[in-house]
Amino acid sequence: MSHPLTNATLGHLVIERPGRAKVFERWELDYCCGGDRPLGDACKQKGIDLQAVLDDLQALDAAGATETEIDWTKASLTELADHIEAAHHAYLREALPRLTFLIEKVVNAHGERHPELRDIQVIFAGLRTELEVHTGKEERILFPLCRLLDDAEMLPPFHCGSLRNPIYVMEIEHDNAGRALERLRILTHGFAPPKGACGTYRAMLDGLAELEADTHLHIHKENNILFPRALAREAALAAAGH
Ligand SMILES: [Fe+2]
Ligand SMILES: [Fe+2]
């Protein structure tokens, strides 16, 4: 008989216990954009030993991992949207300009010996623009609509028709960001510093690794918690109106 966690989706497993995100990061299992895949299937697809991942998840439980994260499935949509802005959007506002600066310094100093740095710079610049425009759309359009749903007794008239439309666009943009981060991981050999890398080089790689981890968690909270909950609330209000 298979382990009970084998058939649970990656997204669900992280919703249930946020600390599991770290285990999935370590195994490079995508729990945000690819969060709807069962753990067993995801391991098979990546050629990863399922039992080793299960052992890590069990070790996490045994260590009594302190859950400092709030259970976002119980918070209001407003609280969740506020949290995403305060934690993840604010992080990006600080990290993206800092990384642009670090990458430029590293390209100037080491670009000749490490030609892949120029590709990193181009991909990062595209990712930065995309993330800035994307979070702006969430803050101006989608999140205010999610907050409206909290107190609504009737379905508010959305100029976008249904929340399904802006959410569809956001999910496509999440996939694009996920792919850019994947390419950065490949180009930097898993954000590992080359021999003799200077402090700035290391700071750049640390910063990129942190950007990847934070963005995965960020997208997970939107794709797997906020968006499905907002759509369910919209559907319930629509049903009540008939
Ligand atoms: Fe966001
Ligand atoms: Fe987003």
Side-chain angles (χ1 to χ4, degrees):
M1 207 184 79
S2 66
H3 190 283
L5 296 187
T6 308
N7 297 319
T9 65
L10 297 173
H12 174 78
L13 288 168
V14 176
I15 291 172
E16 204 175 60
R17 193 152 302 163
R20 286 172 176 154
K22 288 213 169 59
V23 173
F24 293 151
E25 289 288 350
R26 208 158 52 231
W27 286 99
E28 294 179 33
L29 286 166
D30 169 17
Y31 66 92
C32 49
C33 293
D36 54 353
R37 291 166 312 154
L39 173 63
D41 291 358
C43 286
K44 207 180 284 170
Q45 215 172 41
K46 282 210 97 178
I48 293 172
D49 178 11
L50 170 67
Q51 191 52 50
V53 178
L54 289 169
D55 289 349
D56 273 5
L57 292 172
Q58 204 168 5
L60 182 86
D61 288 346
T66 44
E67 301 290 344
T68 46
E69 280 274 343
I70 295 163
D71 180 356
W72 293 113
T73 59
K74 305 241 161 55
S76 68
L77 297 175
T78 301
E79 284 168 326
L80 180 49
D82 289 352
H83 160 75
I84 290 171
E85 285 187 6
H88 301 290
H89 292 193
Y91 159 75
L92 288 174
R93 266 195 296 279
E94 178 276 322
L96 294 174
R98 177 168 50 84
L99 279 164
T100 300
F101 173 76
L102 283 172
I103 292 170
E104 194 177 326
K105 267 184 88 171
V106 176
V107 167
N108 289 341
H110 307 283
E112 269 179 29
R113 268 193 71 189
H114 295 281
E116 75 278 10
L117 283 168
R118 305 223 177 255
D119 293 334
I120 291 171
Q121 189 173 33
V122 170
I123 293 164
F124 177 82
L127 175 64
R128 175 179 173 177
T129 306
E130 167 129 15
L131 284 173
E132 285 173 344
V133 175
H134 173 86
T135 49
K137 282 191 272 195
E138 286 177 343
E139 290 180 14
R140 281 192 314 275
I141 302 163
L142 184 55
F143 288 8
L145 296 179
C146 291
R147 291 186 184 99
L148 270 183
L149 287 172
D150 259 339
D151 303 317
E153 280 165 22
M154 276 165 42
L155 193 63
F158 293 147
H159 68 274
C160 53
S162 160
L163 276 191
R164 213 166 279 286
N165 301 320
I167 284 176
Y168 176 71
V169 177
M170 292 304 107
E171 287 181 343
I172 290 175
E173 292 176 0
H174 288 168
D175 285 345
N176 292 341
R179 270 194 294 275
L181 288 165
E182 223 171 273
R183 289 176 67 201
L184 289 173
R185 168 174 279 279
I186 292 168
L187 284 167
T188 57
H189 307 287
F191 309 109
K195 236 173 92 185
C198 68
T200 314
Y201 208 137
R202 284 169 193 274
M204 175 194 85
L205 291 168
D206 280 357
L208 288 174
E210 189 185 58
L211 175 71
E212 183 197 54
D214 195 88
T215 305
H216 284 167
L217 199 56
H218 176 180
I219 292 177
H220 161 70
K221 286 175 188 165
E222 292 173 356
N223 275 17
N224 301 333
I225 310 179
L226 179 66
F227 297 169
R229 287 193 55 205
L231 288 173
R233 178 90 184 117
E234 183 188 45
L237 287 170
H242 286 296

